[in-house]
C-alpha cells in the first residue's frame, strides 16, 4: 500500500510532479486503438492508483471477513480496516464524528437514503422541495419520487446562460413550506462551482436543511462540511480515485438521529424479535446488510493518496490545466463552449459545429482519447441550452497540457472527416 | 483514420448535411417515433401508405450522422416500394450493418443502402443505423402507437 509514494512529499510551493503521479496509475500506460490513452472522462469515473488497487486486493488476500460480526481474528481485522476507512472519510470532510459518516453504494444511494428517510419523517402534502436547474438526474429523480409519494411540490432554482445559478430566484423560492434544499456543489455537465456556503446560509435563515451533492467536488478540492454548514453531503468514492461501490453520506448527527431507517436487515439492528426491533447506533442504523468492505477500504487508500498529494497542490495544478483547456478549446473555430461559469472546476463541455457529439466521441476514441458524449445525466441542462448532447472533457490531477493538445489536434481530425 | 472514412462515407456525410425527405409529410397516414434513450437519438418516420404500397416517406428528428443519414437514405430508397419489399430490405439492411448473416450482403438488392456496410465494424453504432428502420416498421405495422425504442 505504501510503495511508490515517495515522490509525493509536500514541498513549499504546492505543485504536482505529474510524471511521477502518472506512474502511480497503471491504466494510464495503456494504449487505445494503438495510441497512448488520453483519459478525459474523469467526471464519469476516475482511474485508480496502484495504492488503491493494492489496498483492495490486499484486503481480499489477507484480511477478508465480514465486519462487526465475529470474535475471530480476520473479522476483527476487517472491522478495523473498514472503520479505519470511515475515520479517514470523516477527516476528509472534517465531520465532527464518524457516527455522521454513512457508507453507501455511491452518491445516488446517499441521496435516495435522504429523500426516503427525511421525506418519510418531514415531507407532507403541500410541502416543497427545492433543487436546481443544473442537477444530475440522481439529484432530481429521488426528489420527484418523494414529491409524488408525499403530495409535495418540486421547485427548481433557474440558472443564467453562463451556467451560474440565480441566487435572487433561489431566495424567492424558499418559503415556510420548503422542507429541504438539494443542490450540487459542482455541476457535472458544466463544471460550475456553486456558492454552496452562501446558499446554505440563506436556507438556514429559514431553518431549512440542505443536502449537497458533492460528487464532482471532492475529487478536485477539499470540502469541509462544517465550514460549509452542510446538513447532508453526498459523494462517491469512484470519482475520487477509489473503487466503485463505496459512496458516502455525511449527515449532521442532530438530523440523522431523527431519521427513520432506510433499509432493514443485518448490521442495522440492536435486537430483533418478531414483535419488535430496536435499531443499532449511528451510523450503523443506516448500513443494512454486508457493506462493500473492500471498496470502503479502497476509498480510505484513495483519501491517503490525495492527502499525500495535498489539496492545495491538486487545486493549483488543475486550475491551471482547466484554464489552459478552456483557452485551447474556445480558440478552435467551430467549437463552442457550453457554459461559461464564473468559477469552474474539472469539466469543459463543448459542441463542434455540424458534428453530433456521438460522431465526435467515436472519432476521438480512435485517436485514443476518451471523452463523454451525451447528455451527462443532465437532460434539463441540455434542454436549457437547446442541444441534445455535448462533448465533455473532464480532468483529474494526472492529466497534462500535452493531453489537452492531443484533444485539440484530434478535434481537427473530426472536422476533417466531417469537412465541417 | 482510414477506418473512420470507411464508416463516414461521402454519401453518408452528404445525407447527414443535406437530409432528403426531412420534415412532416403532408397527407401521411402513418407515423411512429423511434428513440434511443442511451444517446438521445430521436427520429419520427411519416408514411403515406396506400394498400400494400408505400407511396411516400419522410422523417424528422435529431441524432448523430449515422442515424440521420440512415433515415435520409431509407426514406429515399423505400418510397414507391411495397410494404413487403420494405420488410425484406429491413432484414437485409439489418444483416448488412450487424454482419450477423453468414451470407455476403446482397449489394445489388441493397443499392444505396450498402453505403452503411462500415457500421458492422462498430457494434456500438448499429442502433444508430437501425433506429429509423425500427420507427418505419412500427409505423407500417401499428401506425399511431407508442414510440419504439432501440434499448
Amino acid at each position: 500500500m505504501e510503495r511508490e509514494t515517495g515522490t509525493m512529499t509536500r514541498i513549499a510551493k504546492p505543485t504536482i510532479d505529474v510524471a511521477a503521479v502518472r506512474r502511480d496509475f497503471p491504466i494510464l500506460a495503456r494504449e487505445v486503438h494503438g495510441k497512448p490513452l488520453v483519459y478525459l472522462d474523469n467526471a464519469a469515473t476516475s482511474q485508480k492508483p496502484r495504492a488503491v488497487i493494492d489496498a483492495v486486493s490486499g484486503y481480499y488476500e489477507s484480511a477478508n471477513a465480514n465486519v462487526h460480526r465475529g470474535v475471530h481474528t480476520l473479522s476483527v481485522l476487517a472491522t478495523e480496516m473498514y472503520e479505519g476507512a470511515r475515520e479517514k472519510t470523516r477527516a476528509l470532510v472534517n465531520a465532527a464524528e464518524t457516527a455522521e459518516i454513512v457508507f453507501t453504494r455511491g452518491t445516488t444511494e446517499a441521496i435516495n437514503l435522504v429523500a426516503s428517510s427525511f421525506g418519510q419523517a418531514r415531507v407532507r402534502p403541500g410541502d416543497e422541495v427545492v433543487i436546481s436547474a443544473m442537477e444530475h438526474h440522481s439529484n432530481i429523480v429521488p426528489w420527484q419520487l418523494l414529491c409524488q409519494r408525499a403530495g409535495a411540490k418540486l421547485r427548481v432554482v433557474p440558472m443564467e446562460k453562463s451556467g451560474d445559478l440565480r441566487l435572487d430566484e433561489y431566495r424567492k423560492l424558499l418559503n415556510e413550506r420548503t422542507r429541504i434544499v438539494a443542490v450540487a456543489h459542482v455541476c457535472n455537465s458544466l463544471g460550475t462551482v456553486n456558492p454552496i456556503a452562501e446558499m446554505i446560509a440563506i436556507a438556514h435563515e429559514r431553518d431549512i436543511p440542505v443536502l449537497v451533492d458533492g460528487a464532482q467536488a471532492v475529487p478536485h478540492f477539499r470540502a469541509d462540511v462544517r465550514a460549509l454548514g452542510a446538513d447532508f453531503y453526498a459523494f462517491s468514492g469512484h470519482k475520487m480515485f477509489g473503487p466503485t461501490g463505496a459512496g458516502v453520506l455525511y449527515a449532521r448527527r442532530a438530523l440523522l438521529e431523527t431519521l427513520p431507517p432506510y433499509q432493514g436487515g443485518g448490521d442495522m439492528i440492536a435486537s430483533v424479535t418478531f414483535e419488535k426491533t430496536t435499531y443499532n447506533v449511528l451510523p450503523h442504523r443506516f448500513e443494512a446488510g454486508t457493506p462493500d468492505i473492500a471498496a470502503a477500504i479502497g476509498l480510505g487508500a484513495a483519501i491517503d493518496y490525495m492527502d499525500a498529494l495535498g489539496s492545495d497542490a491538486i487545486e493549483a495544478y488543475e486550475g491551471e490545466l482547466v484554464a489552459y483547456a478552456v483557452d485551447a478549446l474556445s480558440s478552435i473555430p467551430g467549437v463552442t463552449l457550453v457554459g461559461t461559469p464564473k468559477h469552474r472546476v474539472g469539466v469543459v463541455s463543448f459542441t463542434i459545429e455540424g458534428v453530433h457529439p456521438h460522431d465526435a466521441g467515436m472519432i476521438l476514441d480512435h485517436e485514443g482519447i476518451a471523452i463523454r458524449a451525451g447528455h451527462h445525466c443532465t437532460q434539463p441542462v441540455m434542454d436549457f441550452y437547446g442541444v441534445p448532447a455535448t462533448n465533455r472533457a473532464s480532468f483529474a490531477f494526472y492529466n497534462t497540457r500535452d493531453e489537452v493538445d492531443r484533444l485539440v489536434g484530434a478535434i481537427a481530425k473530426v472536422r476533417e472527416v466531417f469537412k465541417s | 483514420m482510414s477506418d473512420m472514412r470507411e464508416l463516414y462515407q461521402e454519401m453518408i456525410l452528404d445525407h447527414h448535411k443535406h437530409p432528403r425527405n426531412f420534415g412532416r409529410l403532408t397527407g401521411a397516414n402513418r407515423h411512429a417515433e423511434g428513440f434511443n434513450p442511451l444517446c438521445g437519438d430521436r427520429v419520427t418516420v411519416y408514411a403515406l401508405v396506400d394498400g400494400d404500397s408505400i407511396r411516400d416517406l419522410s422523417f424528422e428528428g435529431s441524432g448523430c450522422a449515422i442515424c440521420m443519414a440512415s433515415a435520409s437514405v431509407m426514406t429515399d430508397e423505400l418510397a414507391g416500394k411495397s410494404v413487403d419489399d420494405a420488410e425484406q430490405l429491413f432484414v437485409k439492411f439489418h444483416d448488412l450493418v450487424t454482419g450477423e448473416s453468414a451470407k455476403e450482403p446482397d449489394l445489388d438488392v441493397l443499392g444505396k443502402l450498402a453505403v452503411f456496410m462500415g457500421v458492422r465494424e462498430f457494434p456500438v453504432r448499429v442502433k444508430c443505423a437501425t433506429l429509423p428502420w425500427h420507427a418505419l416498421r412500427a409505423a407500417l405495422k401499428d401506425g399511431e402507437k407508442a414510440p419504439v425504442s432501440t434499448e
Side-chain angles (χ1 to χ4, degrees):
Chain A
M1 245 191 291
E2 309 262 315
R3 74 188 200 199
E4 292 185 340
T5 53
T7 51
M8 296 184 296
T9 41
R10 275 180 199 249
I11 53 173
K13 188 172 176 286
T15 188
I16 281 187
D17 180 351
V18 71
V21 164
R22 289 181 68 83
R23 284 195 294 275
D24 291 336
F25 289 77
I27 204 169
L28 297 180
R30 71 159 287 173
E31 296 191 335
V32 168
H33 296 293
K35 312 219 165 95
L37 167 67
V38 174
Y39 187 76
L40 297 176
D41 196 17
N42 293 286
T45 196
S46 63
Q47 298 302 344
K48 323 303 176 196
R50 171 63 69 196
V52 167
I53 298 165
D54 285 352
V56 171
S57 58
Y59 160 73
Y60 280 125
E61 285 171 12
S62 64
N64 178 57
N66 213 327
V67 290
H68 310 133
R69 293 293 197 284
V71 295
H72 65 76
T73 301
L74 291 187
S75 178
V76 171
L77 189 54
T79 304
E80 279 173 10
M81 293 169 79
Y82 181 68
E83 292 303 324
R86 198 190 305 276
E87 165 55 25
K88 288 173 185 177
T89 307
R90 182 208 64 73
L92 175 77
V93 296
N94 192 32
E97 45 177 328
T98 52
E100 297 179 321
I101 301 295
V102 178
F103 282 131
T104 63
R105 272 194 302 137
T107 309
T108 297
E109 190 180 49
I111 296 170
N112 274 276
L113 190 164
V114 178
S116 172
S117 290
F118 181 90
Q120 191 186 329
R122 305 280 188 91
V123 180
R124 299 289 171 262
D127 286 348
E128 296 181 1
V129 171
V130 170
I131 61 170
S132 92
M134 60 172 73
E135 299 308 313
H136 188 281
H137 295 163
S138 64
N139 204 24
I140 302 174
V141 183
W143 304 111
Q144 267 175 344
L145 290 168
L146 165 62
C147 288
Q148 283 162 15
R149 276 198 307 273
K153 196 170 172 191
L154 193 66
R155 308 293 299 272
V156 183
V157 184
M159 64 176 176
E160 312 273 7
K161 199 78 187 169
S162 62
D164 290 300
L165 285 181
R166 294 192 53 184
L167 290 198
D168 52 336
E169 294 295 326
Y170 169 62
R171 274 183 190 279
K172 284 188 221 158
L173 276 179
L174 301 182
N175 61 56
E176 68 283 355
R177 299 310 304 261
T178 311
R179 290 293 163 262
I180 191 167
V181 171
V183 63
H185 201 162
V186 173
C187 172
N188 76 302
S189 53
L190 304 173
T192 312
V193 183
N194 286 316
I196 283 297
E198 191 183 348
M199 293 181 77
I200 291 172
I202 292 168
H204 284 182
E205 282 168 19
R206 293 176 171 272
D207 291 326
I208 301 164
V210 178
L211 176 142
V212 181
D213 171 356
Q216 300 295 341
V218 288
H220 304 293
F221 57 83
R222 190 59 76 107
D224 180 326
V225 292
R226 281 190 285 177
L228 292 171
D231 300 285
F232 300 103
Y233 197 95
F235 57 101
S236 294
H238 74 93
K239 293 189 199 289
M240 53 172 293
F241 319 101
T244 50
V248 177
L249 173 66
Y250 158 80
R252 208 156 47 76
R253 175 188 269 275
L255 261 174
L256 196 57
E257 272 176 344
T258 65
L259 300 189
Y262 174 50
Q263 293 179 333
D267 223 27
M268 55 79 72
I269 49 85
S271 75
V272 176
T273 68
F274 287 116
E275 288 70 39
K276 184 172 172 55
T277 294
T278 53
Y279 302 118
N280 203 341
V281 296
L282 299 178
H284 309 291
R285 188 195 301 169
F286 292 96
E287 292 182 7
T290 299
D292 194 335
I293 303 164
I297 291 166
L299 171 59
I303 292 169
D304 286 345
Y305 186 86
M306 290 182 74
D307 277 350
L309 288 179
S311 58
D312 291 349
I314 291 172
E315 266 192 75
Y317 179 83
E318 287 189 11
E320 276 182 28
L321 181 66
V322 171
Y324 181 76
V326 166
D327 277 354
L329 289 167
S330 55
S331 58
I332 305 173
V335 168
T336 307
L337 297 198
V338 178
T340 49
K342 286 199 273 282
H343 186 188
R344 173 203 299 269
V345 293
V347 169
V348 186
S349 264
F350 58 96
T351 55
I352 306 171
E353 195 182 2
V355 187
H356 193 278
H358 294 122
D359 296 308
M362 181 165 184
I363 296 170
L364 294 176
D365 178 58
H366 274 251
E367 296 298 311
I369 299 169
I371 61 152
R372 173 88 184 264
H375 54 57
H376 323 298
C377 295
T378 54
Q379 282 182 9
V381 174
M382 300 297 113
D383 293 345
F384 176 78
Y385 286 104
V387 293
T390 71
N391 309 280
R392 179 186 71 182
S394 56
F395 299 86
F397 51 68
Y398 44 65
N399 291 122
T400 66
R401 287 184 174 217
D402 284 349
E403 291 182 312
V404 174
D405 295 342
R406 287 260 316 271
L407 173 64
V408 169
I411 290 171
K413 290 192 177 169
V414 170
R415 303 199 55 193
E416 197 186 307
V417 170
F418 273 78
K419 299 179 178 69
S420 73
Chain B
M1 291 300 279
S2 60
D3 41 358
M4 287 294 106
R5 297 233 181 272
E6 290 287 306
L7 179 63
Y8 294 108
Q9 302 264 340
E10 287 297 329
M11 194 198 294
I12 289 178
L13 294 175
D14 178 50
H15 276 258
H16 161 60
K17 267 190 190 165
H18 312 286
R20 324 297 199 260
N21 315 304
F22 191 85
R24 189 179 283 264
L25 179 65
T26 321
N29 52 9
R30 306 282 178 87
H31 75 274
E33 184 186 53
F35 178 51
N36 183 347
L38 199 67
C39 64
D41 285 352
R42 194 182 283 279
V43 180
T44 302
V45 173
Y46 298 91
L48 172 58
V49 179
D50 182 7
D52 186 41
S53 167
I54 303 169
R55 297 270 294 277
D56 207 355
L57 283 170
S58 80
F59 77 101
E60 49 183 16
S62 71
C64 65
I66 302 299
C67 181
M68 291 293 104
S70 175
S72 177
V73 176
M74 176 189 83
T75 50
D76 241 12
E77 287 293 287
L78 295 193
K81 294 213 159 49
S82 73
V83 173
D84 283 348
D85 285 347
E87 182 61 25
Q88 281 174 28
L89 274 172
F90 168 76
V91 173
K92 288 192 191 304
F93 183 77
H94 192 267
D95 286 348
L96 175 82
V97 295
T98 59
E100 276 168 10
S101 171
K103 285 182 287 187
E104 282 296 302
D106 195 343
L107 298 181
D108 288 345
V109 176
L110 283 160
K112 277 201 288 182
L113 297 168
V115 76
F116 290 94
M117 188 145 99
V119 172
R120 60 168 59 189
E121 301 302 325
F122 304 93
V124 295
R125 303 306 294 273
V126 168
K127 283 170 178 170
C128 309
T130 55
L131 184 66
W133 288 83
H134 287 291
L136 171 71
R137 290 177 89 210
L140 294 179
K141 209 168 164 190
D142 302 316
E144 311 287 330
K145 292 261 173 69
V148 294
S149 168
T150 54
E151 279 309 300

